[in-house]
Amino acid sequence: MNVYDSARMQDVLAPLGYAPTERAEDADMVILNTCHIRENASEKVFSELGRLRPLKQARPGMIFAVAGCVAQAEGPEIVARAPFVDIVMGPQTYHRLPEMVARAARAAGAVIETEFPAESKFDHLPDSAAPAISAFLTIQEGCDKFCSFCVVPYTRGAEASRPMAAVLAEARQLVAGGAREIVLLGQNVNAWHGDAGGLGRLVRELAEIPDLLRIRYTTSHPRDMDDDLIAAHRDVPALVPFLHLPVQSGSDRVLAAMNRGHTADHYRRLVDRLRAARRDLALSTDIIAGHPGETEADHQATLALIRDIGFAQAFSFKYSPRPGTPAAAARQIAEVEKDRRLAEIQGLLRDQQHVFNRACAGKMVKVLFTGPGRHPGQVAGRSPWLQPVHMTGPASLIGTETTVRIAEGHPNSLAAEPLPQTEELACA
Ligand code: SAH
Ligand code: SF4
């Protein structure tokens, strides 16, 4: 979502004459768009500010801004630790950037905007200038679920859905600008609801847009996976057969302590229903190792759930205590124990990902090519299951969804080769 927000900040600033640069040294303004979800993400902000400080000393006219969830959670603390910062703005206020830039030029101290404004930023953002072939589109923000470990309800605010008409208009504009895949974003994207239904309905409406080849959504919560959305996986070919569905733990005791509102078996049954709806569906998930109270038996239950489901991809993290959350106040698991559990989880998940990738070898797969590959003469893209794919091929493939043959499944990517041009040979 920060990638989407950063692109929108560029759109807001473009009329003022700002354009992106590759290096902070070349910039008139530097914006750090930050994440507060885990401690090391947060701490990175302060080390990055330390690294950038000499630039400001050399050119006092440069503007430094900190945006995103660290700004939201630690506004005054940022200014105290890094007094050269000119603007601190939460994730709901960046549509006011032009005004903040003007105020920063006049103000003696930092401009801090971290309240949740009454107006929606989405109503005040201009159209996106140059959408990517796989473009993000935020449709839902915030969270009311208050999991024990998580800062999102505090930093992103209450759950809110953008209206269907606004989402469809932005999607049409992205596709007109060249996007061929839209990734719908939300902290709880499947909690999205419009006047006439939920995410399943929105997906069906989006699938009507000509030239929109693929639809994805992330991140979804198991509790919000309703019947209509499951049916959309069966009915809508453009909805990719891949779903990121975080489970966090395989132990009912830990899931209850986390306030997740479902059991491990609920998750298993949900996955069965999704796979029944779409036979080739592959899953990805998030796992937390070492939440307070997690015993060895709970950890084993997580490993068992991972084995039962078989994930194509996953993200796993060591539990990180976050200020102001209930789990941070509980008795903590020793760091070395968290490390050991995380290593076991990651070993298993890595093996599952490699097995999934290897199983693709020899298969025909539709790839959406999104740009040049790392080596000259190569193109790169994604399979429907989000695997990075690279192939020797012409740049004219970029922006197309093309069926290719997977030559090899590597641990983190697939190598492909073009299909033989059989029809052309027949004509010749
Ligand atoms: N709304 C989504 C998750 C959004 S946060 C859901 O409920 O599933 C993204 C991921 O960060 C979470 O799934 C979780 O695995 C991880 N995460 C969040 N807070 C964390 C913390 N305090 N420590 C470690 N991982 C955390
Ligand atoms: Fe955080 Fe997701 Fe739980 Fe909301 S549902 S509190 S975003 S982990």
Side-chain angles (χ1 to χ4, degrees):
M1 192 171 283
N2 275 14
V3 173
Y4 174 87
D5 288 340
S6 299
R8 303 314 311 266
M9 288 177 204
Q10 278 183 38
D11 297 333
V12 174
L13 289 169
L16 276 67
Y18 287 100
T21 68
E22 287 297 316
R23 298 168 353 121
E25 288 73 7
D26 302 332
D28 297 310
M29 166 157 59
V30 173
I31 305 176
L32 296 183
N33 196 8
T34 63
C35 177
H36 199 238
I37 198 85
R38 284 173 293 278
E39 190 180 357
N40 55 1
S42 259
E43 277 306 312
K44 250 191 228 164
V45 178
F46 290 102
S47 58
E48 193 64 10
L49 281 172
R51 204 182 63 80
L52 291 167
R53 183 191 198 118
L55 290 182
K56 176 82 172 182
Q57 281 162 342
R59 271 202 294 145
M62 247 177 119
I63 296 177
F64 274 80
V66 179
C69 289
V70 176
Q72 186 65 42
E74 299 185 23
E77 163 95 10
I78 293 173
V79 182
R81 282 176 71 175
F84 63 96
V85 168
D86 302 290
I87 298 173
V88 176
M89 56 178 162
Q92 306 306 345
T93 61
Y94 62 76
H95 57 295
R96 297 181 179 171
L97 251 173
E99 179 205 322
M100 288 188 245
V101 170
R103 274 168 53 206
R106 292 192 307 266
V111 174
I112 303 183
E113 289 250 11
T114 49
E115 82 281 23
F116 293 112
E119 80 277 9
S120 162
K121 64 175 178 258
F122 296 110
D123 295 338
H124 295 82
L125 294 171
D127 287 350
S128 295
I133 290 164
S134 174
F136 291 129
L137 200 176
T138 293
I139 63 168
Q140 182 279 342
E141 281 190 294
C143 182
D144 301 332
K145 292 194 170 66
F146 291 92
C147 298
S148 59
F149 52 82
C150 183
V151 285
V152 168
Y154 312 96
T155 56
R156 287 269 173 176
E159 227 169 79
S161 297
R162 291 179 67 190
M164 166 103 87
V167 172
L168 291 176
E170 188 171 334
R172 285 194 197 98
Q173 184 254 323
L174 291 170
V175 174
R180 293 293 169 263
E181 171 176 274
I182 287 185
V183 186
L184 304 172
L185 299 179
Q187 270 87 34
N188 277 281
V189 73
N190 57 344
W192 181 90
H193 53 272
D195 292 338
L199 186 58
R201 172 74 198 277
L202 177 63
V203 164
R204 287 170 213 271
E205 294 285 335
L206 286 165
E208 298 294 318
I209 299 178
D211 295 331
L212 177 56
L213 305 175
R214 288 183 176 180
I215 303 165
R216 302 183 184 278
Y217 61 90
T218 199
T219 290
S220 41
H221 193 292
R223 259 160 68 190
D224 293 318
M225 214 65 223
D226 66 19
D227 293 347
D228 189 47
L229 185 53
I230 295 173
H233 279 276
R234 181 192 63 211
D235 302 335
V236 181
L239 183 57
V240 292
F242 181 80
L243 178 61
H244 182 64
L245 192 62
V247 66
Q248 315 298 356
S249 168
S251 152
D252 289 347
R253 243 174 42 83
V254 175
L255 287 169
M258 286 177 165
N259 192 30
R260 292 292 288 178
H262 65 82
T263 62
D265 270 351
H266 171 95
Y267 187 89
R268 286 184 175 88
R269 284 197 305 275
L270 188 55
V271 169
D272 287 345
R273 289 177 59 210
L274 282 156
R275 284 179 165 155
R278 181 89 197 232
R279 207 179 40 81
D280 59 346
L281 186 93
L283 286 134
S284 133
T285 200
D286 291 343
I287 306 274
I288 296 179
H291 182 274
E294 185 187 79
T295 63
E296 181 58 28
D298 296 323
H299 169 59
Q300 291 301 328
T302 297
L303 294 171
L305 180 125
I306 295 171
R307 279 189 208 101
D308 287 352
I309 303 287
F311 291 101
Q313 218 188 73
F315 302 91
S316 46
F317 318 96
K318 213 161 50 157
Y319 167 72
S320 165
R322 306 309 294 128
T325 58
R331 193 157 157 219
Q332 303 295 311
I333 308 268
E335 216 54 31
V336 358
E337 187 58 27
K338 288 198 272 185
D339 285 333
R340 196 233 344 137
R341 292 180 193 175
L342 182 66
E344 285 180 17
I345 289 166
Q346 292 190 331
L348 180 55
L349 290 169
R350 228 183 350 258
D351 289 349
Q352 290 191 340
Q353 179 174 316
H354 200 178
V355 166
F356 183 74
N357 288 355
R358 270 201 310 255
C360 294
K363 302 233 166 81
M364 310 295 175
V365 169
K366 271 190 190 169
V367 174
L368 178 64
F369 287 102
T370 50
R374 239 178 292 151
H375 303 292
Q378 271 195 348
V379 281
R382 295 270 176 173
S383 77
W385 304 282
L386 212 54
Q387 297 145 298
V389 183
H390 50 92
M391 185 177 87
T392 300
S396 57
L397 287 174
I398 296 167
T400 70
E401 196 182 39
T402 305
T403 302
V404 301
R405 186 179 166 281
I406 302 304
E408 214 175 331
H410 301 298
N412 298 309
S413 67
L414 304 177
E417 56 196 23
L419 292 184
Q421 302 278 312
T422 42
E423 287 90 341
E424 275 178 35
L425 284 177
C427 290

